[in-house]
Amino acid sequence: MKETTLSKITASVRVAKGMAERVLAASPNPQWTEYELQTMDEWIARQGVKLDRSEAIRRLVELGLRAKGK
């Protein structure tokens, strides 16, 4: 195998390993995009009760899980 091919494979494995570590990290706190935050805030505003984002996320997950079970 040529040295450049081996270094490319090694670099790809390093990148994949880093991605896997981030996905499997203990912290369930994703990096929300601006669009996701705005959409979440708009959903919260339509609920008629005061919710913080954490509670909104819990409720949205619950709704999604219920819908998936149907």
Side-chain angles (χ1 to χ4, degrees), residues 11-23:
S12 296
V13 168
R14 192 176 314 118
V15 168
K17 184 178 177 185
M19 290 170 65
E21 287 172 351
R22 284 191 297 278
V23 168

Side-chain angles (χ1 to χ4, degrees), residues 21-57:
E21 287 172 351
R22 284 191 297 278
V23 168
L24 299 174
S27 175
N29 298 318
Q31 297 296 323
W32 300 103
T33 65
E34 191 61 37
Y35 171 77
E36 291 166 332
L37 290 172
Q38 180 182 352
T39 304
M40 211 179 317
D41 289 342
E42 290 169 359
W43 184 86
I44 291 168
R46 292 191 307 268
Q47 299 315 298
V49 293
K50 185 160 174 54
L51 299 173
D52 60 12
R53 283 183 180 156
S54 298
E55 180 61 24
I57 291 167

